[in-house]
């Protein structure tokens, strides 16, 4: 009976507590946008209240009703917030409470609670007073618009473009010069060779804000130039989160298509991972593999061949539609004897799978004619065909956080799993009259699978030493990631005279299989310490810190191809029957066996590691009224070591190169930064900034590895491999000097206008270059090219249209345009190479456009938002100008990415009294633009390097907040 009584009491207390409501809010300093610690928040006419914690947040549990809040802090003007309505079991949020400094005693300012909800005023204050040039989007704005994922929300941020539906670039600069961090910590993405984190895996209800820094301050990592986007996840949800969402997408060109190409995978493909179906047979890893006439019996050779998956041909199936689902839960609880401490938790699970089918995919390799009077280009190889892809992405994010008024500790764990299956069929034509080509016609089936995973842990502590002005922030974040390509299969029949089909090593090639395995460890530790003080009777701050990052990558490629012990005979040339038992060794004809293409030691195996240590100091103060200066210096010691060898060493040549944990980069660099902000008025700034930054080569680039893309047939060569006399194999980092000048005006309701000019100097930029010596194949390599510079103009605006008519008060027009003139001063080798292949009438100069830099970027959006009806809609346009991708040399032309005019429509409607249910409708690529990269040469028609058409897609989603 005693236990029953206790249970009843607990239920009664729980029920009683559930009848209460909660008032939560955040208090900011109006002049700086920083949160205030220790502010008193009292219910008017009572002694009930709370004080703000180290995040400037407070929480008060009260009975349902309407209240007034009195908010006061020493030396600040007190305010009273009226009409704060509290409902049972619900949270009333006051997102933007600003206190302004006061030197004389004034009466309370009375503010309506309605004005403090769902605004971006706090974010605007942060942007206005930040040390760096910032643009961003807050959780309040995300919730108002209804974006489902971080990548959709990022489209609203000024100057941002989205590549591939998931990667973020800033100011038109490519991935090498853009960077994404999570909770101010550098973590690798699912693609280990990108600076940018994949953004489509973050549900927006877990995001606190997304901020883009367009210039550098000393507390930031120095390896970015275009911009750094930081995604801050929530640790203490303001409201209880219990959300479920589902969506589906239909593309008429891709879904329910009976011609969709696929192949049989494993039982765990739906989870984004292979179950071992594609695993390399154990015997294939031995020093010797069973070969005919090598001491192995015929039965052993046959069993070895049969240990490989026998499927080589793609299959036609019916494609399904895309679908996704996500679930999120989170809340904060009062803990401790006095209830002055809080425990926050958050968890999210998301699943997404999509199908793509391209019925007209094209890849090409083109050359210039050696005759200078011929302007048109000739093809070396062209491929045309169809390709099907299925992509699965699973994301898990969980976090716990604890805080009291002066301390906070949190732990966040993230796991991403991604699997992509691809099947393709191509008709291949090779021109024997082109330089280095043999001339053939072939039909190819390609089967691929890539699985990638990332596991990240973040442990973060933040401590404020009460009223001393000192603040300590520390972070530890290890990450383990993998990227595997198990069993990439390419099978191409070559057409013979008379119409016969055979496998030919010198033409379409013998059937081949590739296994690629990559593992990487990335561990970062960071400590930041700041101290507030007074200078010239104004707030100043000194900040310093240190960090260390350790990275280690192991990479291996294993290659096997089919050989024939007997004469070939393929009466029906059916790729799906190539590995039938009747064709295997020792049977006649054909007599198939596998041969290893992996010398010992393997030139396509490497191990690399990085140790990077940094220390910085930065000081922010007002030397004169309205002039804020932020001066800083960052030191980074970067050491990269590499274990690997080139092809010559693997073949036993004394001229080969072999490295055993040898230093390939070792530098101690200083990165000065200066930011000057002249506060023309309370809402208008003039900014000037200088910073020195760096771009370093990736692990893959600083290696001897040769990596083949089986579909496009492009071979990537590591930058350590010398091609004399053009390239000595000494790939090194790029240093950049950045100069920025910006005028910005901030207005009410998140409106703003800004205009910027910027200039950047690049010393030894790294670009991807076609290898002129490789004329029988398409090979590229990262190389340092001549020094470069770029000049840029940027104009941004976000304007509410009620200025035209009160009827348009819910319409906002926003946009930005970036214009850039880039220029690389060619090396003597590149200039002479281009000059030697100059066309008649052409006058080649010793400068050209910079690879990876768009000459213009245009973003625009027309957004309708009505909080009362819960209807939000937006029409968004983006285009990036033609961008040099691969630098051509000699008879090999430049490769450009064509502009993609992206026009997308988004409609979100919330239903119910509390607006807890919402329906999303989106139309993507309304203009039906195709994705295209092309070869360009003087007076010649552009020729396709890669082409595919994504078509138009229509998606609908349903979400509910419980």
């Amino acid at each position: 009976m005693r236990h029953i009584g206790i249970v009843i009491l607990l239920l009664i207390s729980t029920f009683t507590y559930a009848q209460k409501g909660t008032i939560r809010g955040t208090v900011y300093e109006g002049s700086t946008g920083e949160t205030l610690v220790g502010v008193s928040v009292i219910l008017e006419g009572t002694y009930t209240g709370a004080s703000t914690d180290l995040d400037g947040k407070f929480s008060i549990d009260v009975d349902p009703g309407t209240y007034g809040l009195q908010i006061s802090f020493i030396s600040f003007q007190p305010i009273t917030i009226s009409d704060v309505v509290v409902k049972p079991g619900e949270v009333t949020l006051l997102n933007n409470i600003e206190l302004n400094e006061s030197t004389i005693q004034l009466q309370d300012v009375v503010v309506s609670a309605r004005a403090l909800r769902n605004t971006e005023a706090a974010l605007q204050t942060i942007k206005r007073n930040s040390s760096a040039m910032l643009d961003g989007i807050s959780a309040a704005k995300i919730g108002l618009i209804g974006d489902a994922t971080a990548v959709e929300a990022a489209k609203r941020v000024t100057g941002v473009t989205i590549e591939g539906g998931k990667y973020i670039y800033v100011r038109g600069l490519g991935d090498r010069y853009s960077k994404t961090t999570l909770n101010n910590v550098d973590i690798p993405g699912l693609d280990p060779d990108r600076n940018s984190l994949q953004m489509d895996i973050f549900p927006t209800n877990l995001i606190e804000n997304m901020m883009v820094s367009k210039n550098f301050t000393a507390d930031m990592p120095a390896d970015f130039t275009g911009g750094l986007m930081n995604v801050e996840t929530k640790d203490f949800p303001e409201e209880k989160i219990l959300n479920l969402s589902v969506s589906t997408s239909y593309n008429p060109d891709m879904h329910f298509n009976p011609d969709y190409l696929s192949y049989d995978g494993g039982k765990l493909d739906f989870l984004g991972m292979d179950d071992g179906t594609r695993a390399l047979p154990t015997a294939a890893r031995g020093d010797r593999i069973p070969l005919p006439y090598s001491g192995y019996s015929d039965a052993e050779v046959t069993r070895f061949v049969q240990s490989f998956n026998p499927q080589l041909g793609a299959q036609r199936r019916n494609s399904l539609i895309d679908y996704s689902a996500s679930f999120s839960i989170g809340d904060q609880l009062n803990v401790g004897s006095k209830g002055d401490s809080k425990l926050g938790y958050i968890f999210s699970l998301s699943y997404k799978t999509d199908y793509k089918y391209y019925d007209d995919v094209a890849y090409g390799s083109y050359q210039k004619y050696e005759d200078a009077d011929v302007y048109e280009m000739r093809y070396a190889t062209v491929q045309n065909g169809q390709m099907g892809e299925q992509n699965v992405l699973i994301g898990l994010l969980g976090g716990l956080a604890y805080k009291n008024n002066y301390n906070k500790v949190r732990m966040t764990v993230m796991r991403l799993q991604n699997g992509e299956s691809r099947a393709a069929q191509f008709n291949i034509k090779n021109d024997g009259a082109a330089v280095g080509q043999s001339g053939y016609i072939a039909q190819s089936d390609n089967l691929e699978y890539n699985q990638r995973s990332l596991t990240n842990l973040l442990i973060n502590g933040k401590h404020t030493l009460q009223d001393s002005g000192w603040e300590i922030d520390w972070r530890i974040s290890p990450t383990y990631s993998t990227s595997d390509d198990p069993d990439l299969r390419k099978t191409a029949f070559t057409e013979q005279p008379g119409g016969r089909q055979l496998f030919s090593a010198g033409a379409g090639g013998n059937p081949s299989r590739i296994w690629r395995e990559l593992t990487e460890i990335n561990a970062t530790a960071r400590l930041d310490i700041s101290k507030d003080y007074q200078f010239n009777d104004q707030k100043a701050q000194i900040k310093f810190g240190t960090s260390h990052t350790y990275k280690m990558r192991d990479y291996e490629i294993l290659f096997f191809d089919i050989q024939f012990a007997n004469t070939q005979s393929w009466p029906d040339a059916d790729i799906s029957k190539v590995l039938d038992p009747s064709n295997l060794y020792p049977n006649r004809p054909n007599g198939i066996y596998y041969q290893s293409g992996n010398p010992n030691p393997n030139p396509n195996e490497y191990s690399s590691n990085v140790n990077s240590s940094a220390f910085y100091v930065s000081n922010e103060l007002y030397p004169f009224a309205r002039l804020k200066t932020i001066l800083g210096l960052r030191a980074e010691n970067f050491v990269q070591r590499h274990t690997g060898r080139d092809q010559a060493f693997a073949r036993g040549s004394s001229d080969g190169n072999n490295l055993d944990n040898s230093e390939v980069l070792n530098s101690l660099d200083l990165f000065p930064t200066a930011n000057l902000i002249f506060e023309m008025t309370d809402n208008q700034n003039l900014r000037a900034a200088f910073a020195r930054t760096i771009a370093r080569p990736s692990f893959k680039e600083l290696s001897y590895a040769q990596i083949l893309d089986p579909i496009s047939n492009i071979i990537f060569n590591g930058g350590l491999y010398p091609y004399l006399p053009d390239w000595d194999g000494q790939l090194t980092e790029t240093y950049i000097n950045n100069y920025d000048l910006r005028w910005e005006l901030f207005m009410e309701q998140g409106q703003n206008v800004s205009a910027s000019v910027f200039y950047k100097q690049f010393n030894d930029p790294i670009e991807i270059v076609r290898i002129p010596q490789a004329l029988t194949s398409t090979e590229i390599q990262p190389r340092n090219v001549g020094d470069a510079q770029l000049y840029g103009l940027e104009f941004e605006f976000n304007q509410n249209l009620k200025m035209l008519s009160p009827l348009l008060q819910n319409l906002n027009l926003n946009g930005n345009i970036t214009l850039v003139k880039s220029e690389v001063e060619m090396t003597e080798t590149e200039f002479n190479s281009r000059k030697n292949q100059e066309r008649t009438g052409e006058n080649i100069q010793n400068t050209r456009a910079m690879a990876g830099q768009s000459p213009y970027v245009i973003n625009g959006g027309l957004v309708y938002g009505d909080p009362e009806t819960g209807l939000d809609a937006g029409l968004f346009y983006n285009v990036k100008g033609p961008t040099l991708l691969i630098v051509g040399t000699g008879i090999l032309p430049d490769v450009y990415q064509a502009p993609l005019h992206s026009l997308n429509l988004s409609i979100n409607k919330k239903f119910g009294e509390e607006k807890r249910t919402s329906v999303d409708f989106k139309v993507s690529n309304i203009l039906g633009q195709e994705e295209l990269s092309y070869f360009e040469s003087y007076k010649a028609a552009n020729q396709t390097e890669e082409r595919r058409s994504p078509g138009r897609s229509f998606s609908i989603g349903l979400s509910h907040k419980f």
Side-chain angles (χ1 to χ4, degrees):
M1 289 294 294
R2 185 166 67 91
H3 294 299
I4 294 175
I6 292 173
V7 171
I8 291 173
L9 287 173
L10 287 173
L11 289 174
I12 291 174
S13 63
T14 302
F15 177 78
T16 302
Y17 179 79
Q19 300 311 298
K20 289 181 176 289
T22 303
I23 303 173
R24 288 181 184 150
T26 308
V27 182
Y28 298 88
E29 183 177 346
S31 62
T32 66
E34 297 180 359
T35 56
L36 288 170
V37 182
V39 176
S40 175
V41 184
I42 304 294
L43 293 180
E44 195 172 23
T46 74
Y47 295 101
T48 302
S51 59
T52 58
D53 58 26
L54 77 170
D55 292 323
K57 297 182 182 295
F58 66 88
S59 178
I60 306 174
D61 295 325
V62 296
D63 293 323
T66 301
Y67 297 88
L69 287 183
Q70 292 181 328
I71 300 176
S72 60
F73 194 51
I74 297 175
S75 76
F76 284 81
Q77 185 177 357
I79 67 172
T80 296
I81 302 175
S82 63
D83 303 322
V84 180
V85 179
V86 179
K87 297 181 180 180
E90 295 186 8
V91 175
T92 300
L93 281 180
L94 306 174
N95 287 323
N96 177 47
I97 302 172
E98 287 191 359
L99 292 184
N100 294 307
E101 291 186 81
S102 176
T103 56
I104 59 174
Q105 186 65 37
L106 297 174
Q107 293 182 342
D108 287 7
V109 175
V110 180
V111 181
S112 170
R114 178 178 295 273
L116 297 174
R117 302 181 192 177
N118 290 327
T119 72
E120 279 209 298
L123 181 63
Q124 289 288 80
T125 303
I126 293 171
K127 289 167 59 176
R128 185 178 73 239
N129 295 284
S130 68
S131 302
M133 299 177 187
L134 286 184
D135 285 297
I137 186 169
S138 67
K141 182 67 172 290
I142 293 172
L144 187 66
I145 295 174
D147 289 323
T149 66
V151 75
E152 294 172 9
K155 295 175 182 178
R156 327 285 184 183
V157 179
T158 301
V160 166
T161 55
I162 307 299
E163 292 288 326
K166 50 194 166 188
Y167 297 109
I168 289 174
Y169 295 166
V170 183
R171 281 182 167 172
L173 278 162
D175 178 75
R176 188 180 301 279
Y177 302 110
S178 297
K179 192 176 184 68
T180 308
T181 57
L182 180 66
N183 297 315
N184 286 311
V185 174
D186 182 12
I187 68 171
L190 282 179
D191 188 333
D193 296 310
R194 283 182 179 265
N195 273 335
S196 302
L197 182 65
Q198 189 166 333
M199 297 299 296
D200 58 346
I201 49 88
F202 295 105
T204 49
N205 53 33
L206 302 185
I207 294 175
E208 186 68 29
N209 60 60
M210 299 166 63
M211 304 297 292
V212 175
S213 299
K214 293 184 177 177
N215 68 325
F216 173 66
T217 55
D219 58 328
M220 300 177 185
D223 56 339
F224 80 92
T225 298
L228 182 149
M229 169 167 276
N230 180 60
V231 180
E232 193 75 27
T233 58
K234 293 181 179 179
D235 46 17
F236 290 89
E238 297 288 2
E239 297 179 280
K240 184 176 182 180
I241 296 174
L242 185 56
N243 297 345
L244 178 65
S245 65
V246 293
S247 66
T248 186
S249 178
Y250 172 69
N251 187 316
D253 296 333
M254 297 186 177
H255 299 136
F256 301 125
N257 191 321
D259 292 327
Y260 176 76
L261 287 170
S262 182
Y263 74 101
D264 296 329
K267 295 179 180 179
L268 298 180
D269 281 12
F270 77 100
L271 294 178
M273 64 181 72
D274 180 57
D275 64 353
T277 300
R278 304 174 179 89
L280 180 68
T282 303
R285 290 192 176 273
D287 293 335
R288 297 177 64 233
I289 63 174
L291 298 172
Y293 317 115
S294 62
Y296 289 91
S297 67
D298 291 352
E300 288 176 311
V301 176
T302 302
R303 281 197 300 271
F304 179 69
V305 176
Q306 291 175 330
S307 68
F308 289 80
N309 189 306
Q311 185 177 5
L312 299 181
Q315 300 172 345
R316 299 283 181 180
R317 296 174 180 171
N318 202 9
S319 58
L320 303 178
I321 60 174
D322 302 342
Y323 57 91
S324 64
S326 67
F327 170 77
S328 302
I329 185 171
D331 200 2
Q332 58 172 283
L333 310 171
N334 293 329
V335 296
S337 58
K338 299 181 180 179
D340 56 352
S341 300
K342 296 179 176 60
L343 181 68
Y345 67 89
I346 197 161
F347 173 80
S348 171
L349 170 64
S350 60
Y351 181 89
K352 181 171 69 172
T353 185
D354 59 65
Y355 297 83
K356 293 183 174 64
Y357 176 67
Y358 305 100
D359 63 359
D360 185 19
V361 182
Y363 295 91
S365 177
Y366 282 77
Q367 302 175 356
K368 301 176 186 177
Y369 283 88
E370 293 185 324
D371 186 347
D373 292 328
V374 179
Y375 297 105
E376 295 303 324
M377 294 175 278
R378 71 188 314 163
Y379 76 87
T381 305
V382 292
Q383 300 183 80
N384 292 276
Q386 303 85 41
M387 181 165 61
E389 296 178 353
Q390 182 185 3
N391 192 296
V392 174
L393 175 64
I394 300 176
L396 293 97
L397 181 70
L400 284 174
Y402 168 84
K403 72 175 175 179
N404 54 32
N405 283 349
Y406 297 103
N407 301 279
K408 178 170 70 173
V409 178
R410 67 166 167 168
M411 179 179 71
T412 303
V413 180
M414 181 174 66
R415 167 73 179 187
L416 305 177
Q417 183 70 43
N418 178 226
E420 183 176 70
S421 176
R422 179 188 292 175
Q425 292 182 336
F426 291 102
N427 294 314
I428 306 171
K429 292 174 61 180
N430 179 268
D431 183 2
V435 178
Q437 306 303 305
S438 58
Y440 61 87
I441 296 175
Q443 292 78 42
S444 170
D445 278 28
N446 296 64
L447 309 181
E448 298 185 35
Y449 190 77
N450 173 257
Q451 60 180 21
R452 294 176 287 182
S453 67
L454 181 147
T455 304
N456 171 258
L457 170 67
L458 169 69
I459 303 175
N460 170 218
K462 182 180 178 181
H463 313 279
T464 298
L465 305 184
Q466 298 192 10
D467 299 325
S468 67
W470 287 95
E471 183 174 285
I472 301 172
D473 189 298
W474 55 269
R475 298 164 193 256
I476 300 173
S477 182
T479 303
Y480 177 75
S481 56
T482 66
S483 180
D484 299 328
D485 299 284
D487 206 357
L488 307 181
R489 308 165 219 179
K490 180 176 181 178
T491 311
F493 275 112
T494 300
E495 185 175 309
Q496 305 295 314
R500 290 191 311 136
Q501 301 286 332
L502 297 177
F503 294 112
S504 174
N510 286 349
S512 63
R513 310 178 83 133
I514 298 173
W515 279 260
R516 295 197 289 241
E517 296 180 3
L518 179 152
T519 60
E520 183 170 327
I521 295 172
N522 186 313
T524 299
R526 174 175 176 173
L527 174 67
D528 299 278
I529 301 173
S530 63
K531 171 71 168 75
D532 292 338
Y533 67 98
Q534 291 288 315
F535 183 85
N536 281 348
D537 296 325
Q538 289 185 287
K539 182 179 177 180
Q541 184 185 72
I542 186 170
K543 189 174 184 179
F544 56 93
T546 185
S547 65
H548 184 80
T549 298
Y550 171 75
K551 299 180 182 182
M552 188 274 290
R553 177 184 293 185
D554 289 321
Y555 187 66
E556 180 184 44
I557 303 176
L558 295 176
F559 174 86
F560 299 85
D561 65 348
I562 283 177
Q563 298 292 318
F564 305 94
N566 304 308
T567 303
Q568 292 186 53
S569 176
W570 307 99
D572 55 0
D574 188 346
I575 288 178
S576 66
K577 297 179 180 179
V578 169
L579 289 179
D580 282 356
S582 60
N583 293 321
L584 306 186
Y585 181 85
N587 296 334
R588 294 177 180 273
N590 300 320
I592 287 176
Y593 65 93
Y594 276 108
Q595 175 177 276
S596 170
N598 311 301
N600 189 13
N602 187 352
N604 285 320
E605 176 186 16
Y606 69 80
S607 178
S608 295
N609 63 81
V610 160
N611 279 281
S612 178
S613 300
F615 176 81
Y616 76 91
V617 61
S618 176
N619 193 40
E620 176 181 321
L621 55 80
Y622 285 84
F624 307 102
R626 292 193 173 274
L627 178 63
K628 181 162 65 173
T629 65
I630 305 96
L631 303 178
L633 181 66
R634 184 180 184 88
E636 290 190 359
N637 184 33
F638 187 91
V639 180
Q640 182 168 335
R641 296 177 178 272
H642 182 80
T643 298
R645 73 288 309 168
D646 61 16
Q647 299 281 348
F649 183 87
R651 292 193 300 266
S653 170
S654 59
D655 295 329
N657 295 290
N658 182 55
L659 300 178
D660 184 7
N661 202 33
S662 302
E663 288 185 359
V664 288
L665 270 186
N666 187 344
S667 61
L668 173 59
D669 297 303
L670 299 179
F671 301 100
T673 173
N675 288 270
L676 306 179
I677 306 169
F678 177 59
E679 299 169 354
M680 304 170 67
T681 64
D682 289 341
N683 64 343
Q684 189 174 187
N685 290 330
L686 182 63
R687 294 175 177 267
F690 165 79
R692 184 169 170 83
T693 57
I694 194 170
R696 299 185 180 99
S698 67
F699 281 130
K700 179 179 73 171
E701 291 176 333
L702 212 54
S703 75
Y704 291 109
Q706 289 188 307
I707 303 172
L708 169 70
D709 181 347
I711 286 189
S712 67
N713 281 325
I714 294 177
I715 300 173
F716 176 92
N717 291 266
L720 293 180
Y721 197 91
Y723 283 91
L724 299 175
D726 299 344
W727 177 245
D728 60 5
Q730 301 298 311
L731 188 65
T732 188
E733 59 270 87
T734 303
Y735 293 95
I736 307 104
N737 291 325
N738 306 270
Y739 303 85
D740 290 86
L741 184 65
R742 182 180 191 179
W743 168 82
E744 55 191 14
L745 173 65
F746 299 92
M747 297 168 283
E748 61 181 5
Q749 296 182 333
Q751 300 177 96
N752 66 282
V753 179
S754 69
S756 308
V757 294
F758 54 92
Y759 171 67
K760 299 179 185 292
Q761 294 174 312
F762 297 78
N763 183 30
D764 292 329
I766 301 171
E767 298 184 346
I768 302 300
V769 177
R770 274 292 299 269
I771 299 175
Q773 293 89 339
L775 293 174
T776 59
S777 56
T778 303
E779 301 190 30
I780 58 177
Q781 185 178 40
R783 295 179 177 180
N784 296 109
V785 297
D787 293 342
Q789 57 184 344
L790 64 82
Y791 310 82
L793 298 173
E794 189 172 51
F795 178 73
E796 312 163 295
F797 69 92
N798 186 356
Q799 180 65 54
N800 186 279
L801 298 185
K802 69 178 181 181
M803 57 181 290
L804 301 178
S805 168
L807 298 176
L808 302 178
Q809 64 177 344
N810 293 324
L811 270 178
N812 271 64
L813 181 66
N814 62 76
N816 73 281
I817 178 169
T818 303
L819 303 175
V820 176
K821 169 65 174 176
S822 66
E823 190 174 82
V824 172
E825 186 176 340
M826 300 180 196
T827 62
E828 184 178 353
T829 298
E830 180 185 347
F831 177 68
N832 290 336
S833 174
R834 290 178 178 270
K835 202 71 177 176
N836 290 338
Q837 294 299 324
E838 197 172 53
R839 306 291 94 177
T840 301
E842 185 180 13
N843 184 21
I844 292 178
Q845 304 297 313
N846 66 344
T847 60
R848 58 164 172 80
M850 184 178 177
Q853 174 64 62
S854 302
Y856 60 85
V857 176
I858 301 173
N859 287 298
L862 182 62
V863 181
Y864 175 87
D866 186 352
E868 299 299 325
T869 64
L871 177 64
D872 300 287
L875 187 65
F876 304 97
Y877 172 78
N878 166 258
V879 65
K880 190 172 72 168
T883 306
L884 178 62
L885 295 180
I886 301 175
V887 179
T889 52
I891 64 170
L892 306 173
D894 293 326
V895 177
Y896 280 82
Q897 182 180 41
L900 175 65
H901 297 270
S902 175
L903 184 64
N904 305 300
L905 173 68
S906 175
I907 301 173
N908 176 271
K909 173 66 173 137
K910 299 181 179 69
F911 296 93
E913 182 180 353
E914 302 296 331
K915 305 291 191 296
R916 294 184 176 274
T917 301
S918 66
V919 175
D920 298 291
F921 176 74
K922 297 181 176 67
V923 184
S924 301
N925 195 23
I926 294 174
L927 302 178
Q929 292 279 287
E930 66 179 12
E931 299 169 353
L932 174 68
S933 56
Y934 58 87
F935 292 91
E936 183 181 272
S937 181
Y938 180 73
K939 284 190 176 181
N942 294 337
Q943 299 294 341
T944 298
E945 193 260 349
E946 181 177 347
R947 185 191 69 241
R948 63 181 72 185
S949 177
R952 298 178 184 86
S953 63
F954 305 84
S955 63
I956 188 167
L958 174 67
S959 63
H960 182 73
K961 298 178 180 179
F962 294 92

